[in-house]
Amino acid sequence: MSAKAISEQTAKEFLYKYICTSAAVQNRFRYARVTADTDWDRLTQDHPWLLTERLVVKPDQLIKRRGKLGLVGINLDLQGVQKWLERHLMKETTIGKAKGVLKNFLIEPFVPHTQEEEFYLCIYATREGDHVLFHHEGGVDVGDVDAKAQRHMVAVDEKLSEDQVTEKLLTHVSDEKKGALASFIVGLFSLYEDLYFTYLEINPLVATQDGVYILDMAAKIDATADYICKPKWGDVEFPPSFGREAYPEEAYIADLDAKSGASLKLTLLNPRGRIWTMVAGGGASVVYSDTICDLGGVDELANYGEYSGAPSEQQTYDYAKTILSLMTREKHPEGKVLIIGGSIANFTNVAATFKGIVRAIKNYQVPLKEHEVTIFVRRGGPNYQEGLRVMGEVGKTTGIPIHVFGTETHMTAIVGMALGHRPIPNQPPMDAHTANFLLNASNSAVTPAATRTASFSEPKTSSDSCPAKKTKAGLPAAKATTLFRKNTKAIVWGMQTRAVQGMMDFDYVCSREEPSVAAMVYPFTGDHKQKFYWGHKEILLPVYKNMADAMKKHPEVDVLISFASLRSAFDSTVEAMQYPQIHTIAIIAEGIPEALTRKLIKMADEKGITIIGPATVGGIKPGCFKIGNTGGMLDNILASKLYRPGSVAYVSRSGGMSNELNNIISRTTDGVYEGVAIGGDRYPGSTFMDHILRYQDTPGVEMIVVLGEIGGTEEYKICQGIREGRLTKPVVCWCIGTCATMFASEVQFGHAGACANQASETAVAKNQALRDAGVYVPKSFDELGDVIKTVYDELVADGTITPAQEVPPPTVPMDYSWARELGLIRKPASFMTSICDERGQELIYAGMPITDVFKEEMGLGGVLGLLWFQRRLPRYACHFIEMCLMVTADHGPAVSGAHNTIVCARAGKDLVSSLTSGLLTIGDRFGGALDAAAKQFSKAFDSGMLPMEFVNKMKKDGKLIMGIGHRVKSINNPDMRVQILKDFVKQHFPSTQLLDYALDVEKITTSKKPNLILNVDGFIGVAFVDLLRTCGGFTRDEADEFVEIGALNGIFVLGRSMGFIGHYLDQKRLKQGLYRHPWDDISYVLPEHMSM
């Protein structure tokens, strides 16, 4: 959500820190917070004024009208405050329907004043601007300030002046106080804007001859502006509404949500309740809560929450395990039910999210059975059939009763089943498999004639024109009635290839002549071409680095679809609106601050541009155009008949619920003519009425469906439009969020705008008003489809709609990647790997999560054991590997590998090139003797040769013994690296048979020449064979295979790379120039016949 309430202490802290006014603001930062854990001695040390002044004490827990409720202690000394707190602190209190414990209190200095010095001040945001309310009589008896306060609206992007305040608000204030109050109000308004407040109320505001005092304050800030205001806000704590505890599980999910691009929400209502929900989608989550409450489950509803926005399998698992953990802590005599519901997803891979839920169910299967939990599942969307299958399978394997339903079942039908109000079908009918979108498998025989003709074959008429109509100078430009046509072209901002391909597949199945996407804009790459499919054919789509180039080269484009992030959406939208060719912009991003959205709305209104969003999936016009991921994948496009127009137009806030409306309308009528999801924010770019009036003026639309929700008053404009005769087409409407009035404490639903600030904004009030105005309003969402069908049948009966013969759409091939995910095809993989898996939430080395690698302090040797040998090696083996890497790390600049690296570095080459130059010298003569030594000594030892026989055979064959001999070291000048390794191996290895054999060979070779010692390569080679053969982790064949495939040389390569990199960095640091070998170190020997 966006607007979140903050504590009075936080609000006053912001005010005292950042207000800029000439008025003297008194008692700055003079407040003390008290809880059950407060140390009074420490508190009085930190706030010595507590001992000397008269005080006021009150709870700071988002409680309204504390004075009326007797929850303010006034004009007390410190002892009096402590006695007052004894009666209230940690005591359970009932306020309205909410029952809670008073835990947090605020102590402030008492301000002596008269009633005439009390004032009321409030600033709050609306779509058009910010309203400033002022009343010259403040305090607990202020009454209905809406009716009697002076008010002034500051329009979006305008400023408030002291003259305006004095003239409009301070008419009943004495002259001597006007100056200070005007300055304070202007300063407060600037603070309100700068810190992204959405609501700020001070009552009373006391103005005396000493200055201004803020006695009581309530405020909300736009939490989505955190990325802008973090330096001033700091870490803001958002307390729960009174009557609800702040649970650690809620904080855990909030933290997951903050770290994820998806949306994860959880509010605990009654942890002892028997009805738990795990619902996908902000709108759907409200609908399920409504239905549970409508069917009498409000007292047993345990939680409200949602997961949406394509969370990963791991994120869904974390969310699901939190819910399962909560619901299996306390048994219920009637058992418990878990409702895993959701609308038809637009782009979330249902199977992936369900796999996360299935993992959680498997982990909690024992407590779930102990608590007699029954699970009901209903879902649709991409790959939902596979998701439902795995969910059904886990029910069979665990023995947990799980009832699974797809799109053939009404979305909320499972609630009635779970609560015992409707029977559970034994074998529910299943819709066609996702794979069927390859076929022309439509079972419907009819489609509307008039709309099909208008959309497909009639020439474009004036009502179908694209540009906004010209208006008189000085007036805002009129917006287009028709947003999308058969030839609409769009630019997509963002590298959203999946969404673009979905749009092109929709275009193809709608028989469009050309793709609807003309180009993409992506500032983070250079101009290039991106490959997409148009039916069976591959095509290239231009991608531009900047918007200006895209607009200039594609003048036919009139729609921008913005997938920009919440941080960049504002700037990119402002830029797009500078181009007159654009008349529609869809903003997908969720979490744009409301103040910025209002600026976009104002600009769009001035330019005659229609904005869809923010926080939306978009919209769809069957047969013509779809925005991004709207409508889901092709199987849903075909199942909901979205490839051709119907007679019903709808508008919804929720993106997921808009797809559910596609499903409902296709099953009860001839289909959708156009549908728009305006977005869940408080201030959507276009409103319900903007689109309803378009539908009213569109000939092909015969009836209108609206899915409203709690919060705002937009639905009342529908009532007004009907009363004034502006709306004449039948309207079916249902406002979701009816459950809100049944909850004891305030619950913020998934959408930012789904919150009622007054009685008229509740869903119940709006549904009744719509019903009274003549709108077709069902009794509940459960009956929405029935009402739509009734109205449609009446229109068919009276001849308004004439069904026509269905024409099958062209086939579209399924993407290979999706077909493979569905298990429809198989193909040998190009690569196979068995050492590492990076696909999940956590990197895995040979089956071991990276967190366990660090937790068990496996070190570099342990990691090498996992990645090279796919084994968890003993501690001594890991240590030996690390020792080998240390002793082979470097052997000076004179050896060939280091020499090459240095020469390359001095030639100005980069690190990788220089390192590679050195590594290429490694072979039998330099550094690569580990494998060869291991093979030679192993073969001789395994064949039963005596050491002397081995030496003689190698001499007879004219071969060098690999690993024997050193250019510098000898029996008299031993290599300390070998000595260190030998001491460790002898102490820790269970057996050293091959090493002992090699040492016996060394005795023979050094008797002939002192430098024919077992060198470090040979030692590591034979010792490693002993390690592989005797550590207990490998069979003899496996040990020999690792030697054969070159694993031991890897030790030298890895170790020596450290030294080569060191030499490279050393040369760069010393700034050495290009190397040229000196002449006097080269013997020039020319052929004799040439020297004559």
Side-chain angles (χ1 to χ4, degrees), residues 576-640:
M577 284 195 275
Q578 306 311 310
Y579 299 96
Q581 67 193 76
I582 296 298
H583 79 79
T584 304
I585 299 176
I587 305 173
I588 310 301
E590 181 178 3
I592 300 173
E594 291 176 353
L596 299 184
T597 301
R598 293 190 306 169
K599 291 181 181 181
L600 293 178
I601 292 169
K602 182 179 180 181
M603 289 178 62
D605 288 344
E606 291 171 351
K607 294 175 179 289
I609 295 172
T610 299
I611 291 181
I612 299 174
T616 182
V617 72
I620 191 166
K621 187 171 184 181
C624 290
F625 186 84
K626 90 176 182 109
I627 297 172
N629 295 301
T630 310
M633 294 189 64
L634 268 185
D635 59 331
N636 189 65
I637 298 291
L638 296 182
S640 297

Side-chain angles (χ1 to χ4, degrees), residues 298-349:
V298 62
D299 293 331
E300 290 291 351
L301 181 57
N303 71 305
Y304 166 79
E306 57 127 339
Y307 66 96
S308 59
S312 67
E313 179 182 331
Q314 182 64 37
Q315 289 164 345
T316 315
Y317 167 75
D318 291 336
Y319 185 82
K321 75 175 183 183
T322 303
I323 298 228
L324 298 184
S325 169
L326 285 164
M327 72 181 297
T328 53
R329 292 179 186 176
E330 192 171 326
K331 290 189 176 181
H332 194 284
E334 299 177 43
K336 296 186 179 182
V337 294
L338 173 60
I339 296 170
I340 301 176
S343 56
I344 301 172
N346 288 289
F347 55 90
T348 297
N349 186 335

Side-chain angles (χ1 to χ4, degrees), residues 469-492:
K469 301 166 188 172
K470 292 183 179 179
T471 57
K472 294 180 180 178
L475 293 176
K479 297 184 180 181
T481 298
T482 301
L483 301 183
F484 312 117
R485 312 173 315 283
K486 188 76 172 175
N487 59 349
T488 291
K489 289 279 191 173
I491 287 175
V492 173

Side-chain angles (χ1 to χ4, degrees), residues 311 468 775 808 839 907 932 1002:
V775 175
R839 295 170 299 173
E1002 182 190 48

Side-chain angles (χ1 to χ4, degrees), residues 107-143:
I107 305 175
E108 296 176 306
F110 171 69
V111 180
H113 63 277
T114 65
Q115 178 63 43
E116 289 71 29
E117 293 172 321
E118 288 189 353
F119 302 95
Y120 173 88
L121 178 61
C122 178
I123 309 172
Y124 66 89
T126 63
R127 183 182 181 86
E128 297 76 20
D130 298 291
H131 294 259
V132 185
L133 272 63
F134 182 87
H135 192 48
H136 60 283
E137 296 174 346
V140 292
D141 297 318
V142 68

Side-chain angles (χ1 to χ4, degrees), residues 27 52 116 120 193 308 412 444 507 541 567 635 738 811 948-949 1054 1070:
N27 284 341
T52 58
E116 289 71 29
Y120 173 88
E193 286 191 314
S308 59
T412 52
S444 174
D507 297 339
L541 201 66
R567 289 172 174 80
D635 59 331
T738 54
T811 58
M948 181 62 76
E949 291 176 328
L1054 181 59
L1070 295 173

Side-chain angles (χ1 to χ4, degrees), residues 835 863-871 881 885 1024 1042 1045-1054:
I835 63 168
V863 170
L864 194 144
L866 293 173
L867 295 181
W868 287 17
F869 305 110
Q870 297 176 298
R871 300 287 193 284
I881 290 172
L885 295 176
F1024 231 105
F1042 278 115
I1045 62 179
L1048 306 190
N1049 266 359
I1051 296 290
F1052 183 85
V1053 170
L1054 181 59

Side-chain angles (χ1 to χ4, degrees), residues 242-289:
F242 182 74
R244 280 205 309 105
E245 295 297 316
Y247 293 93
E249 291 81 5
E250 292 176 338
Y252 171 69
I253 296 299
D255 184 57
L256 282 181
D257 179 61
K259 295 174 181 175
S260 163
S263 178
L264 302 166
K265 304 286 187 293
L266 175 63
T267 299
L268 286 174
L269 304 172
N270 174 17
R272 296 180 177 178
R274 66 177 293 264
I275 305 168
W276 291 77
T277 64
M278 196 185 307
V279 180
S285 60
V286 180
V287 172
Y288 276 97
S289 297

